[in-house]
């Protein structure tokens, strides 16, 4: 990995970390450069603005997370286990955030999306793309679950996938506001109830 690529990636990782732990509005270019040990001239060599960096940082994060989602939602995994494993994945990520900062980090996509959706169209579209990708993973798991007869056959998979993701984001927000990761224990049982799961066998 060459030095320029390393510097650019450092900017992406630092920006995401600072914005996620604070907010887009509270983080400055100076903050990012200082935390990353990178000169301001190097920052502007790669990005025209903080906004451009933020969009690239979240796109980079999504590309890295895609491998996790492909593993969690693999067609080789039973449909309901995909959803259970996704719940465990969310809780694990939040626990890691608490270990680093002492606070519940919340969903990185919804936080920046809510903050910037009315003022930065590029970021709004980026967050919408990430939301849509996750919903599609959930939807496919629901379709496969219906096919095997393990959930309510009357639900619409697309609508339910959107509803489930809305619930997940809402519970993440509550957990962040209360700084209580234990609220996430509700994820799996509530999701299983919402889809009329016909088995409660835990994932291995």
């Amino acid at each position: 990995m060459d030095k320029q690529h390393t510097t650019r990636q450092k900017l992406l990782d630092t920006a995401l970390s600072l914005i996620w732990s604070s907010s887009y509005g509270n983080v400055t270019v100076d903050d990012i450069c200082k935390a990353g040990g990178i000169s301001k001239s190097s920052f502007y060599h790669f990005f025209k603005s903080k906004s451009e960096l933020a969009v690239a940082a979240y796109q980079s994060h999504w590309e890295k997370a895609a491998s996790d989602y492909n593993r969690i939602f693999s067609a080789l995994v039973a449909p309901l286990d995909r959803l259970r494993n996704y719940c465990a994945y969310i809780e694990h990520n939040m626990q890691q955030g608490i270990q680093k900062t002492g606070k519940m980090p919340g969903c990185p996509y919804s936080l920046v999306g809510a903050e910037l959706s009315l003022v930065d169209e590029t970021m709004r579209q980026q967050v919408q793309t990430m939301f849509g990708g996750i919903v599609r993973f959930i939807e496919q798991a629901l379709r496969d679950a219906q096919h095997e007869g393990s959930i309510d056959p009357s639900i619409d998979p697309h609508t339910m996938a959107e509803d489930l993701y809305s619930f997940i984001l809402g519970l993440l927000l509550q957990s962040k506001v209360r700084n209580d990761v234990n609220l996430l224990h509700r994820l799996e049982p509530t999701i299983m109830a919402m889809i009329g799961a016909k088995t409660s066998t835990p994932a291995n």
Side-chain angles (χ1 to χ4, degrees), residues 122-138:
T122 303
M123 179 58 82
R124 187 197 67 77
Q125 291 179 1
Q126 180 64 43
V127 173
Q128 181 177 319
T129 296
M130 294 183 288
F131 280 1
I134 296 171
V135 167
R136 284 191 292 275
F137 278 117
I138 297 172

Side-chain angles (χ1 to χ4, degrees), residues 85-131:
N85 293 341
Y86 179 45
C87 293
Y89 172 76
I90 292 171
E91 188 167 352
H92 173 72
N93 283 347
M94 294 303 105
Q95 290 281 13
Q96 284 192 320
I98 290 173
Q99 289 175 9
K100 289 179 180 178
T101 67
K103 297 179 181 179
M104 262 288 297
C107 173
Y109 308 145
S110 63
L111 295 175
V112 76
E115 184 178 2
L116 297 181
S117 62
L118 297 180
V119 297
D120 191 319
E121 177 61 16
T122 303
M123 179 58 82
R124 187 197 67 77
Q125 291 179 1
Q126 180 64 43
V127 173
Q128 181 177 319
T129 296
M130 294 183 288
F131 280 1

Side-chain angles (χ1 to χ4, degrees), residues 18-116:
L18 291 179
I19 292 170
W20 193 356
S21 62
S22 179
S23 74
Y24 178 85
N26 285 337
V27 175
T28 66
V29 171
D30 286 338
D31 293 332
I32 295 168
C33 291
K34 181 178 179 180
I38 298 167
S39 69
K40 214 166 180 179
S41 61
S42 292
F43 175 94
Y44 286 111
H45 172 74
F46 294 104
F47 302 101
K48 295 178 182 178
S49 64
K50 183 178 74 168
S51 173
E52 184 177 285
L53 169 60
V55 171
Y58 275 80
Q59 182 176 4
S60 176
H61 182 270
W62 171 247
E63 289 170 354
K64 290 178 182 178
S67 62
D68 289 333
Y69 286 113
N70 285 326
R71 171 180 52 80
I72 291 167
F73 288 97
S74 168
L76 299 177
V77 178
L80 294 185
D81 283 348
R82 295 176 216 169
L83 298 175
R84 294 189 184 98
N85 293 341
Y86 179 45
C87 293
Y89 172 76
I90 292 171
E91 188 167 352
H92 173 72
N93 283 347
M94 294 303 105
Q95 290 281 13
Q96 284 192 320
I98 290 173
Q99 289 175 9
K100 289 179 180 178
T101 67
K103 297 179 181 179
M104 262 288 297
C107 173
Y109 308 145
S110 63
L111 295 175
V112 76
E115 184 178 2
L116 297 181

